[in-house]
Amino acid sequence: MARQIKAEKNLNSRQIRDAEATQAVILAAAEEEFAKHGLTSARTEAIAKKTGVAKSMIYYYFKDKEGLYQAVLERSHSDLLQTSQQLDLDHLSPEAALEKFLTALLDCVSRNPKLPLIMFHEAVQNQGKYYKRSSSLSIDTKLVKILERGVATGVFRKLDPFQSAINIMGTCLFYFVGAGNIQQHPQGKRLLSKAMLEQHAQEAIALILAGVRNP
Amino acid sequence: MARQIKAEKNLNSRQIRDAEATQAVILAAAEEEFAKHGLTSARTEAIAKKTGVAKSMIYYYFKDKEGLYQAVLERSHSDLLQTSQQLDLDHLSPEAALEKFLTALLDCVSRNPKLPLIMFHEAVQNQGKYYKRSSSLSIDTKLVKILERGVATGVFRKLDPFQSAINIMGTCLFYFVGAGNIQQHPQGKRLLSKAMLEQHAQEAIALILAGVRNP
DNA sequence: GTCTATACGAGGATAGAC
DNA sequence: GTCTATCCTCGTATAGAC
């Protein structure tokens, strides 16, 4: 955005200088590209083209494609990581904790719908080797703990906490995989519109809470 | 396999001639590669290396990488497609239909755990454009129909059938994404072992059935 | 049918002018 | 800081011998 303004103020000189703006633009475009293609089949040329800046700027700021990828990973996970760390759930009932956890998770991914896709590619293609102290792992164990507590207390069914944690994550995140594919709701609403995202959050939470509760 | 036998019978001649066997070997290796990387970042060289046959055989039998990809798509979806067509669910109660549907789906993907990964890549990377009369679409609408019936009858909660169908698919399929990544169960069991796959099917079905039921 | 060798294009990365 | 031009590796695809 800052870049845009400078560009207008300075129309006859194509070489705008704004390090932060340039990096931001590159990161945004890279996030899109990596979300769609993952590290290996993402194209630096495609990223450069989307930004309008020269391809060499990528190497200037991020060293190489891998460096850019790591920057994108960090940036796109930081929100989720921070949010999950701020959640303190131990003083809540298992059911309340689970709902709070899911709300926070769905909130994060609704704000950044590309995140699940990035996670997916990273998991499948690279076996998560670019997650050092993986944010998604730490979030997963948080969920397992909630489920364990609920089963022990008897408010949740006798379910396997480990398996169920994976399945619950799937319920929340799979939607975003389909989003690029399905595009159109029968009624013609986009899957990533604000209304649909909110509905997804509601539906997912309802399905999961009903699914784990002890009848 | 047939290839292996011939190879042993004929050790001094490297040039074994068995069209079917060669194609089968290539298809198997390609399925693995495409599951991990999708069309774009799959490498024909990697596929050839895994098979032991010359890279040019891929082009001889499948014309090009895209041709091979389509062959893999068709082959790996045929089981699911056939299974889903053979299901006739209209005479069953919504709950029984849903259980039967889920059992069949989980059975298919447990037999071929690479299928969800292939679907995923195809959806994200290519927006499903290689699905002509998409098998996964037809299966999805089947699920929507079941849910609609259940809601109408009142045996299911008031849920959105479209949204819930996606979430249910996520519950079943996301597991296979994690499988490559998580590798190890806390107790040291592999996620794709027969026992774990069966447990996953049970857990997923239980979660979903409890999740949709009207209390 | 199968192999080896190679042509050719795409894409990652760098050099150097401005 | 930004751009253009270029290098060079890697990967798809083909040619041609066996």
Side-chain angles (χ1 to χ4, degrees):
Chain A
M1 292 304 106
R3 187 181 187 83
Q4 299 294 326
I5 293 160
K6 282 216 179 179
E8 285 174 49
K9 282 190 185 170
N10 203 353
L11 275 174
N12 43 354
S13 128
R14 298 251 315 292
Q15 298 194 2
I16 310 139
R17 302 197 178 218
D18 185 335
E20 279 185 35
T22 304
Q23 289 179 55
V25 173
I26 292 174
L27 276 171
E31 192 175 21
E32 233 177 273
E33 178 78 2
F34 285 129
K36 196 160 192 178
H37 292 105
L39 173 57
T40 2
S41 74
R43 299 290 168 234
T44 56
E45 281 181 331
I47 295 169
K49 207 163 209 175
K50 258 183 271 187
T51 63
V53 306
K55 196 171 42 159
S56 52
M57 287 290 88
I58 292 172
Y59 299 91
Y60 179 75
Y61 282 116
F62 300 97
K63 188 180 180 205
D64 55 12
K65 189 164 90 159
E66 196 180 335
L68 177 57
Y69 181 65
Q70 280 174 324
V72 167
L73 275 193
E74 214 155 306
R75 206 180 78 99
S76 55
H77 278 76
S78 66
D79 180 24
L80 180 60
L81 191 58
Q82 223 177 323
T83 306
S84 111
Q85 281 171 347
Q86 282 169 0
L87 285 175
D88 87 292
L89 304 167
D90 297 341
H91 68 290
L92 293 173
S93 75
E95 195 155 11
L98 180 55
E99 183 167 358
K100 192 174 179 185
F101 173 91
L102 293 174
T103 305
L105 171 64
L106 285 160
D107 228 55
C108 274
V109 292
S110 293
R111 274 198 301 274
N112 183 7
K114 295 181 210 75
L115 182 54
L117 297 181
I118 293 175
M119 290 170 53
F120 172 90
H121 275 121
E122 173 59 16
V124 174
Q125 215 168 50
N126 314 323
Q127 275 94 47
K129 72 172 180 177
Y130 288 96
Y131 291 149
K132 294 153 272 252
R133 62 214 187 288
S134 173
S135 50
S136 57
L137 276 185
S138 78
I139 207 176
D140 230 50
T141 53
K142 257 201 162 69
L143 179 52
V144 172
K145 291 233 176 77
I146 300 172
L147 295 175
E148 280 168 350
R149 266 178 58 214
V151 174
T153 327
V155 290
F156 292 168
R157 288 187 295 111
K158 283 205 183 313
L159 46 77
D160 182 286
F162 177 74
Q163 290 252 7
S164 300
I166 299 177
N167 295 343
I168 287 171
M169 295 294 280
T171 309
C172 294
L173 302 182
F174 187 75
Y175 182 87
F176 299 89
V177 174
N181 191 15
I182 301 175
Q183 309 279 28
Q184 292 293 332
H185 190 270
Q187 279 87 47
K189 293 169 188 167
R190 294 195 334 272
L191 256 59
L192 294 182
S193 68
K194 204 183 167 223
M196 285 294 281
L197 284 171
E198 270 169 25
Q199 198 191 350
H200 167 59
Q202 280 176 22
E203 291 280 345
I205 290 174
L207 185 67
I208 293 163
L209 287 183
V212 299
R213 199 174 349 232
N214 204 351
Chain B
M1 292 302 108
R3 187 182 188 81
Q4 298 295 324
I5 293 161
K6 282 217 177 181
E8 286 176 47
K9 284 188 184 170
N10 203 354
L11 276 174
N12 43 353
S13 130
R14 298 249 318 290
Q15 298 194 1
I16 310 141
R17 299 194 181 221
D18 186 335
E20 279 185 35
T22 303
Q23 291 181 52
V25 173
I26 292 174
L27 276 171
E31 192 176 21
E32 233 177 272
E33 178 77 4
F34 285 129
K36 195 160 191 177
H37 292 105
L39 172 58
T40 2
S41 74
R43 298 290 167 235
T44 56
E45 279 181 331
I47 295 169
K49 208 163 207 173
K50 258 183 266 185
T51 62
V53 306
K55 200 174 30 165
S56 53
M57 287 289 87
I58 291 172
Y59 300 92
Y60 179 74
Y61 282 116
F62 300 97
K63 189 182 179 205
D64 56 11
K65 190 163 90 158
E66 196 180 334
L68 177 57
Y69 182 64
Q70 279 173 324
V72 167
L73 275 193
E74 214 155 306
R75 207 180 78 99
S76 55
H77 278 75
S78 66
D79 180 23
L80 180 61
L81 191 57
Q82 224 178 322
T83 306
S84 109
Q85 281 172 344
Q86 282 169 359
L87 284 176
D88 87 293
L89 303 167
D90 296 341
H91 68 290
L92 293 173
S93 75
E95 194 156 12
L98 180 55
E99 183 166 0
K100 192 173 178 185
F101 174 90
L102 293 174
T103 306
L105 172 63
L106 286 160
D107 227 54
C108 274
V109 291
S110 293
R111 275 197 302 273
N112 184 7
K114 294 182 210 78
L115 182 54
L117 298 181
I118 293 174
M119 288 170 54
F120 172 89
H121 275 121
E122 173 58 17
V124 175
Q125 215 170 50
N126 314 320
Q127 275 95 46
K129 72 172 179 175
Y130 289 96
Y131 292 149
K132 293 153 273 249
R133 63 220 187 284
S134 173
S135 50
S136 57
L137 275 186
S138 78
I139 207 175
D140 230 50
T141 52
K142 256 200 163 68
L143 178 52
V144 172
K145 290 231 178 81
I146 298 172
L147 295 174
E148 280 170 349
R149 267 177 58 213
V151 174
T153 329
V155 290
F156 292 168
R157 287 188 295 111
K158 283 206 182 314
L159 46 77
D160 182 286
F162 178 75
Q163 289 252 7
S164 300
I166 299 178
N167 295 343
I168 287 171
M169 295 295 281
T171 310
C172 294
L173 302 182
F174 187 76
Y175 182 87
F176 298 89
V177 174
N181 191 15
I182 302 175
Q183 309 279 26
Q184 292 293 331
H185 189 270
Q187 280 86 48
K189 293 168 188 168
R190 294 195 332 272
L191 254 59
L192 294 183
S193 68
K194 204 183 167 224
M196 286 295 281
L197 284 171
E198 271 168 24
Q199 198 192 350
H200 167 59
Q202 280 176 23
E203 291 281 344
I205 290 174
L207 185 67
I208 293 163
L209 288 183
V212 299
R213 200 174 347 237
N214 203 350

